Amino acid sequence: MNALATPKKWEQYFWPLLACALFLALWHYAVLWSHTRIFPSPREVERGMVELIHQHVLWGDIADSLRRVAIGFGAAVLLGVPIGLTLGWYPAADQVVNPTMQLLRPISPIAWIPVSIILFGVGDDAAIFLIFLGAYFPIVVACINGVSNVPAMYRRAGRNFGLTPAELLRKVIFPAALPQILIGLRIALGIAWLVVVAAEMIAVDSGLGYLIIDSRNSGKRYDLVVAAMLLIGVIGLILDLAFRRLERIKSVRWGFRNAS
């Protein structure tokens, strides 16, 4: 039996659903056996979710979180991709910038919260700035590595065909580096989604992060807290699956084959 065989269609759905069912069962019986009065059961979380929907606040919080991530992540892509491609194309420039970038990159975006509030005040701008910081550095690093890892024969072939440096970068280097860039974008989007929750607990008064902290402070509604947590996980999964589908496009997959 081939251990690396592609799973059948039904297995791709059956086993994840079974794992979810087992998780819910374990959660349910753990609450029963522990006799806890604080942590909610799956049924209580479901009722809390329905309550949020009936109050007409849930969709607004989801939309606000997605909007902040879209703006912050979009700004990071618009700035990070060109800078990363340029630094990857010019190694001398990368050597100059790299020490500063490596100094700033390990700093958690959460550590920037006091600075963001000083710079932008309490509001959307501070949260978007934190999301931008969280996404920017993974995107730049992925672009640099993607360009640097393109085989040298691609560059020589492009020059032999008379391509200018700009054409070579646009028509050869960027498509070849695109798979690695997409992986960086996917990682950056996951970080952005993590950061928005933390930022909304401090800097704004809407969004899923704010819903968690507000539910905790207003009557200790842990059923709503867990409901918001599960929503964050589900939306994060959907965003990740969307990027995985991009990686399966044929015009992108060739970069994976040629880079191997």
Side-chain angles (χ1 to χ4, degrees), residues 69-85 128 131-140 142-143 174 178 181-182 184-190 192 243 246:
V69 169
I71 296 173
F73 178 74
V77 171
L78 291 176
L79 188 62
V81 170
I83 291 177
L85 292 176
I128 291 170
I131 296 166
F132 169 82
L133 284 179
Y136 173 75
F137 291 109
I139 291 173
V140 172
C143 291
F174 179 74
L178 185 57
I181 293 174
L182 285 178
L185 292 177
R186 180 176 146 211
I187 294 173
L189 182 59
F243 257 94
L246 286 177

Side-chain angles (χ1 to χ4, degrees), residues 114-196:
V115 177
S116 67
I117 293 177
I118 292 174
L119 294 176
F120 302 101
V122 177
D124 272 4
D125 292 343
I128 291 170
F129 173 72
L130 295 172
I131 296 166
F132 169 82
L133 284 179
Y136 173 75
F137 291 109
I139 291 173
V140 172
V141 171
C143 291
I144 293 173
N145 292 336
V147 173
S148 301
N149 292 335
V150 174
M153 64 178 181
Y154 288 5
R155 306 184 187 217
R156 292 195 297 267
R159 293 191 184 101
N160 290 338
F161 280 101
L163 297 180
T164 65
E167 291 174 334
L168 183 61
L169 180 62
R170 186 178 74 256
K171 297 181 178 180
V172 178
I173 302 301
F174 179 74
L178 185 57
Q180 193 161 349
I181 293 174
L182 285 178
I183 292 174
L185 292 177
R186 180 176 146 211
I187 294 173
L189 182 59
I191 295 174
W193 188 242
L194 290 173
V195 172
V196 71

Side-chain angles (χ1 to χ4, degrees), residues 36-116:
T36 178
R37 296 181 179 272
I38 299 176
F39 198 82
S41 67
R43 179 60 179 167
E44 291 171 332
V45 172
E46 179 188 355
R47 288 197 293 265
M49 190 85 70
V50 173
E51 178 182 339
L52 289 174
I53 294 174
H54 287 165
Q55 290 177 351
H56 303 289
V57 298
L58 182 60
W59 302 119
D61 285 331
I62 292 175
D64 285 343
S65 293
L66 289 174
R67 174 177 55 81
R68 293 177 184 120
V69 169
I71 296 173
F73 178 74
V77 171
L78 291 176
L79 188 62
V81 170
I83 291 177
L85 292 176
T86 302
L87 294 177
W89 185 252
Y90 297 105
D94 183 35
Q95 291 179 359
V96 174
V97 176
N98 188 64
T100 302
M101 186 169 62
Q102 295 304 326
L103 175 67
L104 296 174
R105 188 169 65 90
I107 301 175
S108 169
I110 308 304
W112 287 87
I113 288 178
V115 177
S116 67

